[in-house]
Amino acid sequence: MRVKNITTPFFLLAFLSISVGLMSQVKPLTDSDKQKVAAFKFTNESQTRGMQQYNNNCKSCHGDPGKKNYSNLDPIPGDPASAEYQALTDGEMFFYITNGKGQLMPMFANAISESQRWDIVAYIRSFNPNYIQAEVQLASDVNLSGALRLKLDVFKEEKRVVALLTDSTDGVQKPIKSATIKLSVKRQFGNLNIGESQTNELGIAIFDFPVDIPGNEEGLLELIAFAGNESKEISVSQLAPLGLTVVPTKLLEQRSWFNINKKAPLWLIISYLSALAAVGGILLYVLLQLKKIKEMNKE
Amino acid sequence: MEHSDFSSKIPTKIGEKLFSTVNLNIKFHIWMGFLSVLLLACFYAYYIQLRDGLGVTGIRDFVSWGIYLSNFVFFVATSLVGMLVSSVVGLSGKKWVIPITRIAEIIAVAFAAVAGLVIVSDMGRPDRLAYVFLYGRFASPIFWDVTVVTLYFGISFLLLYVTLIPDLALGAKFLKWRPKWLLWAYNLLSLGWKGTEREFAILKKSIRILLILIIPMALAIHTVTSWLFAFNPRAGWDSTIFGPYFVSGAFVSGLSCLMIAMYFFRKNYKLEEYLTDKLFDNVGKLLVLVSLVYIYFNINELIVPGYKLKTHEAIHLRELFIGHHSVLFWSVQIFGLIIPTILLLFKPVRKPFPMLLLGVMVLVGSWFKRFILVVPVQEHPYLPIQHVPEIFKVYTPTLIEIMVTIGPMVMVLMIITVLTKLFPVIPVWEMAEHGEVKENE
Amino acid sequence: MDNTNDKLNSTKEESRRKFLKNIGLVGLGGFAIGAALFSAKKFEEVKKGKNIRLLTADGNVVEVDSVHIKSVDKDLLTIQQEQGREGIVGRSWVMVIDLAKCRNARKCVSACQEAHHLRPEQYHINTLQMQDTPSTKPYHMPKTCQHCDNPPCVSVCPVDATFKRNDGIVLIDNERCIGCRFCIAACPYSARSFNWFEPKDAETFADVVYDVELNVPQKKGTITKCLLSADKLRKGELPYCVSACPNGVFYFGDANEDAVTNGTTKETVRLSKLLTDNAAYQLYPELGTKPRVFYLPPKNRLFPYTENEETKA
């Protein structure tokens, strides 16, 4: 359903004619973003995966690459197979998919994972016979590899979360420093970002947890910590007593006009039934009087 | 069967005359035949509606209550005349009202009985009518309405029957030339009435109880019916005076209906001696009274929002005063209410024939007044009506819808015809008891 | 009631006598109710004795009396109706609509109409062209059912066919609805639609068991309205309209979690912060309906207003 109906993300990569005011809403493109490259080699598999992602998220506006059947929108989304698009660096493409573009194209940072976004770049590049992928390199300055371990300690009183990131490749736990750890809270339809923190020399990152995030009836909520780059990622989740105690209000417990009969206003039920009984009783009395007349005349 | 003491107490002249209308003559059969054919056509229209859905009418998502609902309100309104005439006027000791009490009761029974059917014709799933009893919610005004309409019909029916009992006993004496089954039915229904003092005491007590009981019940049916609208948070309906406004309007439409019926029975049933000019004069005055009350409520209902002109109230009033519904609105107010009221202030107008004409004007006006009350509000909800076909925006009743609306009216005519042909339209025993009515003439 | 039954069974002669005895309201009322119940029972017993072929779990084709099939269906129906009335435990759904982002793509409308088998003129969600005052600029406003916490439509329903759930959704049971349309009259947001004719594709879905949380199949002569895709929510997914929007207009979530998720970007944000930072408002709060749908004003709009040629009130 969703696939068919998504329109409109607007890629107008060729022309960057956006007003300054609107520019401010979009994350600016930096040189390092431009230079960014995928952490893996584009293969047929990555292109196929990219095609699926493209069809789900991009096709409704951009059409099929090479067929120029993009939606007739203002501004025109354009065909990703076109020369203008292919003139972009991989990093630029990745950046626009991630953060959105111009006024219309939405960000996909939360909708599509990082590697899937690179898959889309791979798919778009497959329409360019002259494309040669730049040498694969790890973009992150932190070397995340080996047997990563991420551990969370929760301090309820201080409302503090301490994350420990280690590598135990050689059987010894080595702390990883300068790695970015993201902490979020699981919610029904996605993860609510709480904050980011760098690990120190000891591989420890400290988070001050907000005091007003609702938990369940016991005040529990599910924490998710994430660390990673293009090549390697790790995430852990854990129940923590850091939330507010939320007892869901039961709307149907109150007596009200809109509630079911059992929960109708008490005075209403009493009034209705007593009025009905009174009228019914009077009518019954009249009927009995008629019966009396009839019986009187039988004799 | 021997004639009881009771029937010998009734002056033969009165008895013979008033029972002469109990007569299933050829005119009756032709008239009923005509009505039956008409009713069949209406049933066919309803069949089409059942088959294809409510979409065969002009109502749609925005104006979703159309002439079916206005017709229902009209029926409930008109049925209130039974309570007005018998109870309010009767209980206040006005004896002149006796000759028209039964006509008023018959009108009440007929309209109340059919009102329920009118509402069924408006239902998308009439096959689920029983759900109202199975799953009825105490908080829904529809549930109250079903309750009180049923009770009001029951009380009216019982009142009609109870006041008829002594007359039924007279059938044996005065209905000699009528079919056997009719005499048999009269005898059965009369409960063996002998006219003893004790019987009369019981009967009069019962009548009195019913006359008192019917007052709150009649107020209830029309107040609850007005709440079907006033309970909704919609500009134009969101009014605190809808209850009395509707009740006073009901008296107007009921009395006009009674006036037409009186004229008809006077002429066709040759009852000039009983349905006298004086009686018309009195009913005319009564109509003036209730019309003035109704005009008063109209002024209130229009000027209060009209002074403030709150956004959506203003749109609604503009539509009524100078917009899409203005012609109908002003015609109803002027020809259906103001002109008849003014004319009836003059004694020469309060004669049978002019009153027939005015009665028709007021009755037709009353019907369209209900249309004005129900439909225009829905054409202007708070949020704009967009992305829908034109038929959703402007309500126009379809032919099928009109037929299905006429159907209940035909049924009312049939019920009134049958009841007034099977039983004396003027209470014989009460006329005999209060002979002075005739002398006063 | 006994009188009524006697009456139906006894001979004409007796029935007349009985009628006399019991004449009046009690008898009549009893008769009316009795007849109504009788007809309802009749209605339940339709289509008896028709044999239908079925594929069993072990691959055999068997012929079964349709009565039995119906009873199986009915169980599923009853289960769905019961859980549909209960709602999803502990949830309190809210929707936030950011008017600054809506450019009237109407993808929410088409996704919704497809999911709920609606005709093109039937809307659970509609985008309206709004202009608050003559001097302010027009804007597009997606409008769903507001899922009021004091729902006028539910209060007036005579048969409990539309009802409030603990998770805040106002739902419809079109197996119960009698089609009186009082709820349409009561709703100040024009949120309700009616099946005036046979619904779209009625034959195709004639045998599908009614899902109260999807309100499918639609039924002639009953009400239909937005139900916040209660079926999707039960699966933990975002509503049809929310995930169909290409412009990030809709946020949806659980107020108990104080979080809403954007249907387009899948970004999850604090509900309270979103509402406070953007001066969120509700439609006609003065009516006391307590809506569950919030609007963010069309401030700093991302699109110029373009009028849709087919629309103009």
Side-chain angles (χ1 to χ4, degrees), chain A residues 145-148 166-174:
Chain A
S145 61
L148 287 181
T166 53
D167 173 10
S168 54
T169 312
D170 310 320
V172 198
Q173 294 209 1
K174 285 181 294 179

Side-chain angles (χ1 to χ4, degrees), chain C residues 46-53 63-70 207:
Chain C
V46 285
K47 284 184 191 165
K48 206 167 188 169
K50 208 168 87 184
N51 281 345
I52 286 181
R53 284 183 175 196
E63 232 174 46
V64 187
D65 193 276
S66 63
V67 178
H68 302 298
I69 296 170
K70 212 159 182 188
D207 297 328

Side-chain angles (χ1 to χ4, degrees), chain B residues 54 59 64-66 69 119-126 132 140 142-143 228 378, chain C residues 153 156-159 161-162 176-186 194 196 221-223:
Chain B
L54 266 176
I59 42 179
S64 85
W65 282 349
L69 240 290
I119 211 72
V120 171
S121 74
D122 189 58
M123 284 169 64
R125 301 297 302 229
V132 179
S140 172
I142 288 199
F143 188 60
L228 298 185
Q378 300 171 77
Chain C
C153 53
V156 299
C157 179
V159 292
T162 186
R176 176 69 65 80
C177 178
I178 60 169
C180 70
R181 308 187 304 292
F182 201 167
C183 51
I184 291 187
F194 192 73
W196 298 102
T222 63
I223 293 282

Side-chain angles (χ1 to χ4, degrees), chain C residues 181-290:
Chain C
R181 308 187 304 292
F182 201 167
C183 51
I184 291 187
C187 176
Y189 305 106
S190 309
R192 288 170 171 259
S193 183
F194 192 73
N195 283 302
W196 298 102
F197 296 100
E198 268 315 334
K200 197 180 107 191
D201 306 327
E203 290 106 66
T204 323
F205 299 102
D207 297 328
V208 175
V209 178
Y210 173 61
D211 181 355
V212 69
E213 291 193 330
L214 184 60
N215 203 33
V216 159
Q218 302 282 341
K219 287 221 165 51
K220 184 175 87 174
T222 63
I223 293 282
T224 181
K225 77 175 246 312
C226 162
L227 22 82
L228 289 183
S229 308
D231 62 318
K232 290 278 252 183
L233 300 180
R234 193 167 286 284
K235 284 185 262 175
E237 293 168 25
L238 288 167
Y240 298 101
C241 53
V242 171
S243 45
C245 177
N247 296 321
V249 174
F250 296 95
Y251 292 84
F252 191 88
D254 179 0
N256 289 340
E257 290 185 341
D258 192 24
V260 284
T261 302
N262 189 294
T264 313
T265 67
K266 305 290 184 291
E267 190 183 10
T268 302
V269 296
R270 294 285 296 273
L271 171 68
S272 49
K273 186 167 159 39
L274 184 70
L275 298 183
T276 314
D277 290 354
N278 295 286
Y281 68 95
Q282 296 169 319
L283 293 184
Y284 303 108
E286 68 273 21
L287 297 175
T289 48
K290 302 183 195 161

Side-chain angles (χ1 to χ4, degrees), chain A residues 57-70:
Chain A
N57 297 289
C58 321
K59 188 179 167 180
S60 57
C61 289
H62 290 280
D64 301 300
K67 292 188 180 162
K68 291 193 165 57
N69 57 352
Y70 42 78

Side-chain angles (χ1 to χ4, degrees), chain A residues 2 5 7-8 25 103-104 110-111 187-192 212-214 250-252 258 260 283 287, chain C residues 23 25 91 103 107 149 154 160 164 166 237 243 246-247 256-257 259 261 265 267-268 270 302-303:
Chain A
R2 216 186 105 217
N5 288 315
T7 4
T8 320
Q25 302 191 0
Q103 305 170 42
L104 309 185
N110 299 294
R187 305 277 81 157
Q188 174 68 11
F189 299 107
N191 299 333
L192 179 67
D212 55 351
I213 305 278
K250 289 205 165 163
L251 290 164
L252 299 181
F258 65 77
I260 53 169
L283 285 176
L287 289 174
Chain C
I23 192 159
L25 181 80
R91 298 297 177 182
R103 64 173 298 160
K107 294 295 169 191
D149 275 357
V154 175
D160 213 6
K164 186 83 182 164
N166 274 321
E237 293 168 25
S243 45
N247 296 321
N256 289 340
E257 290 185 341
T261 302
T265 67
E267 190 183 10
T268 302
R270 294 285 296 273
L302 301 182
F303 312 106

Side-chain angles (χ1 to χ4, degrees), chain B residues 49-57 59-66 68-69 122-137 139-143 150-155 157-158 161 184 188-191 227-229 231-234 237-238 312 378 381-389 392-393, chain C residues 13 16-17 19-20 23-25 28-29 32-33 36-37 39-40 43-44 104 106 120-123 126-130 141 143 152 154-160 173-182 184-190 192-198 219-222 283-284 287 289 308 310-313:
Chain B
Q49 180 183 311
L50 277 184
R51 190 191 61 195
D52 297 348
L54 266 176
V56 298
T57 66
I59 42 179
R60 284 297 182 273
D61 288 352
F62 297 91
V63 182
S64 85
W65 282 349
Y68 292 163
L69 240 290
D122 189 58
M123 284 169 64
R125 301 297 302 229
D127 50 296
R128 295 179 183 170
L129 180 61
Y131 287 9
V132 179
F133 301 97
L134 288 173
Y135 306 110
R137 286 181 71 247
S140 172
I142 288 199
F143 188 60
T150 313
L151 286 179
Y152 181 74
F153 168 73
I155 298 170
F157 188 81
L158 200 54
Y161 172 63
W184 179 84
L188 188 70
L189 292 171
S190 72
L191 307 178
W227 288 347
L228 298 185
F229 305 97
F231 275 10
N232 300 322
R234 299 279 291 262
W237 283 345
D238 197 345
H312 295 93
Q378 300 171 77
Y382 290 113
L383 294 169
I385 302 175
Q386 290 173 354
H387 301 285
V388 287
F392 280 60
K393 298 178 185 170
Chain C
E13 190 72 20
R16 279 212 186 102
R17 234 169 265 144
F19 180 66
L20 177 66
I23 192 159
L25 181 80
L28 269 173
I33 294 166
L37 292 179
S39 67
F43 178 67
E44 297 291 327
N104 205 24
R106 287 175 76 77
E121 72 276 12
Q122 287 182 305
Y123 297 106
N126 197 352
T127 61
L128 302 177
Q129 278 76 73
M130 299 293 288
M141 184 179 87
K143 186 218 66 187
V154 175
S155 296
V156 299
C157 179
V159 292
D160 213 6
D173 183 349
N174 79 17
E175 290 290 338
R176 176 69 65 80
C177 178
I178 60 169
C180 70
R181 308 187 304 292
F182 201 167
I184 291 187
C187 176
Y189 305 106
S190 309
R192 288 170 171 259
S193 183
F194 192 73
N195 283 302
W196 298 102
F197 296 100
E198 268 315 334
K219 287 221 165 51
K220 184 175 87 174
T222 63
L283 293 184
Y284 303 108
L287 297 175
T289 48
N308 201 313
E310 60 167 300
T311 335
K312 202 60 215 150

